[in-house]
């Protein structure tokens, strides 16, 4: 899961490529003429700064479920991670909404296979 900059202007149903392009800053390739001419290069920001996830789940500790067809929002699925601590066990839940129910089912199937 990644935090996208607020300047992205993404909306539900945006292509994944659009989100990915918003995570990577533009690349400026300096030319020899530009360097000799004193063109100022942008700040040295590493290209992968926004690609560090804000949340991560260990899939082997997770259960994935999809909302039933009678639910209000049929495009949602849930990821529940069981965390074991020294004193007590706890869980973390994250709900995701796909564009279509078929896409949600594809996500659930892929997550279950990767366990």
């Amino acid at each position: 899961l990644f935090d996208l900059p607020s300047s992205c202007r993404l909306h539900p149903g945006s292509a994944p490529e659009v989100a990915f392009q918003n995570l990577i800053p533009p690349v400026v390739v300096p030319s020899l003429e530009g360097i000799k001419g004193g063109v100022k290069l942008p700040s040295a920001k590493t290209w992968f700064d926004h690609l560090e996830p804000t949340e991560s789940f260990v899939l082997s500790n997770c259960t994935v479920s999809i909302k039933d067809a009678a639910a209000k929002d049929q495009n949602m699925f849930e990821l529940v991670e069981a965390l074991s601590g020294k004193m007590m066990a706890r869980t973390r839940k994250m709900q995701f909404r796909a564009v279509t129910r078929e896409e949600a089912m594809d996500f659930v199937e892929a997550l279950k296979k990767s366990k």
Side-chain angles (χ1 to χ4, degrees), residues 9-10 21 36 42 44 48 50-51 53 57 68-69 71 73 76-77 81 84 87 90 93 96 103 111:
R9 303 209 192 316
L10 293 175
Q21 290 301 321
K36 286 181 180 178
F48 54 84
H50 293 297
L51 294 178
F57 288 80
D68 60 359
D73 193 349
M76 299 219 14
F77 62 97
E81 181 181 27
S84 58
M87 298 300 285
R90 61 187 183 99
K93 292 183 181 182
F96 300 91
E103 190 176 283
L111 288 168

Side-chain angles (χ1 to χ4, degrees), residues 6-96:
S6 58
S7 60
C8 284
R9 303 209 192 316
L10 293 175
H11 54 82
S14 293
E17 296 82 15
V18 175
F20 186 75
Q21 290 301 321
N22 280 285
L23 289 171
I24 298 177
V27 176
V28 177
V29 180
S31 66
L32 188 56
E33 294 81 23
I35 293 172
K36 286 181 180 178
V39 173
K40 189 169 179 136
L41 296 174
S43 65
K45 186 175 184 178
T46 53
W47 66 271
F48 54 84
D49 278 350
H50 293 297
L51 294 178
E52 296 176 5
T54 53
E55 292 287 334
S56 61
F57 288 80
V58 179
L59 289 179
S60 60
N61 296 341
C62 293
T63 57
V64 184
S65 60
I66 192 163
K67 299 286 183 180
D68 60 359
K72 182 178 178 183
D73 193 349
Q74 300 176 3
N75 304 345
M76 299 219 14
F77 62 97
E78 185 175 68
L79 191 64
V80 180
E81 181 181 27
L83 302 169
S84 58
K86 292 180 181 178
M87 298 300 285
M88 62 181 198
R90 61 187 183 99
T91 58
R92 286 193 312 167
K93 292 183 181 182
M94 182 79 60
Q95 290 186 338
F96 300 91

